[in-house]
């Protein structure tokens, strides 16, 4: 059970970071697009990555991480695991609020602008906050992987007393 959870957790982390990188790559193409139709197609691609890769991968990572915590008693004693759990929950919330939701909403707004229901000028400010959110979430996700690989003890170091240093 432990190995299966670890494998799924690792595969989910690969999917999560991959989806974030693909989102960044697609977002980098937006300023170079000439027409609103190209932008709408690219925005729909970003929303598709968010729906079908980012969100499922994020769910697998979080679920397997929490199940591992419950199934493996030594994990409950390790501070790095609790730090990883807190970071994982922040990645989950940040991804839902700052990446997945806006990706879907921006695709819908761009489609509405393409159909003439919305002024295309309203689309101009969408990219700025996306970049920041993507980099923050990607950084925290990578930090979470580093915690899982290095597994630092996160203990306080005890100060040596005078008697200990003299012996």
């Amino acid at each position: 059970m432990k190995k299966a959870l670890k494998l799924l957790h690792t595969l989910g982390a690969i999917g999560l970071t991959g989806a974030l990188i693909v989102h960044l790559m697609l977002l980098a193409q937006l300023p170079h697009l000439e027409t609103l139709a190209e932008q709408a197609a690219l925005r729909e691609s970003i929303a598709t990555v968010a729906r079908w890769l980012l969100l499922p991968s994020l769910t697998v990572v979080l679920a397997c991480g929490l199940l591992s915590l419950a199934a493996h008693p030594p994990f409950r004693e390790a501070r790095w695991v609790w730090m990883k759990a807190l970071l994982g929950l922040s990645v989950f919330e940040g991804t839902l609020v700052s990446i997945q939701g806006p990706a879907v909403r921006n695709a819908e707004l761009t489609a509405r602008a393409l159909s003439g229901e919305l002024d295309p000028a309203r689309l101009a400010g969408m990219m700025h906050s996306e970049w920041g959110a993507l980099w923050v979430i990607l950084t925290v996700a990578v930090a979470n992987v580093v915690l899982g690989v290095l597994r630092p003890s996160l203990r306080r170091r005890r100060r040596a007393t005078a008697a200990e240093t003299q012996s």
Side-chain angles (χ1 to χ4, degrees):
M1 173 72 138
K2 180 183 162 191
K3 287 187 183 211
L5 286 172
K6 183 177 181 177
L7 176 65
L8 287 172
H9 187 73
T10 302
L11 291 175
I14 291 167
L16 173 66
T17 54
L20 292 170
I21 291 169
V22 167
H23 191 138
L24 281 168
M25 291 169 57
L26 291 173
L27 197 59
Q29 298 302 310
L30 275 175
H32 306 294
L33 300 177
E34 306 276 330
T35 68
L36 193 55
E38 288 174 326
Q39 287 186 24
L42 198 61
R43 283 286 181 189
E44 187 55 39
S45 296
I46 290 171
T48 300
V49 168
R51 276 187 205 108
W52 296 105
L53 182 58
L54 181 67
L55 196 56
S57 296
L58 181 62
T59 304
V60 167
V61 167
L62 190 61
C64 289
L66 293 174
L67 286 171
S68 291
L69 184 62
H72 191 59
F75 279 173
R76 292 192 288 272
E77 302 299 322
R79 287 186 181 180
W80 68 268
V81 173
W82 291 104
M83 177 68 78
K84 211 167 144 40
L86 289 173
L87 287 176
L89 290 171
S90 67
V91 167
F92 184 74
E93 182 180 354
T95 300
L96 289 178
V97 172
S98 303
I99 297 174
Q100 202 273 338
V104 172
R105 185 175 54 253
N106 292 342
E108 291 168 357
L109 289 175
T110 308
R112 285 181 53 207
L114 183 61
S115 68
E117 298 174 30
L118 182 73
D119 181 16
R122 286 195 54 202
L123 304 176
M126 292 190 311
M127 270 184 35
H128 181 68
S129 62
E130 284 179 281
W131 280 105
L134 281 164
W135 282 112
V136 167
I137 296 298
L138 185 59
T139 301
V140 176
V142 168
N144 224 353
V145 170
V146 169
L147 268 175
V149 170
L150 297 181
R151 297 180 175 196
S153 66
L154 300 176
R155 287 186 214 144
R156 287 189 198 168
R157 294 189 182 200
R158 204 170 53 121
R159 295 181 75 152
T161 62
E164 290 174 344
T165 57
Q166 289 177 356
S167 54

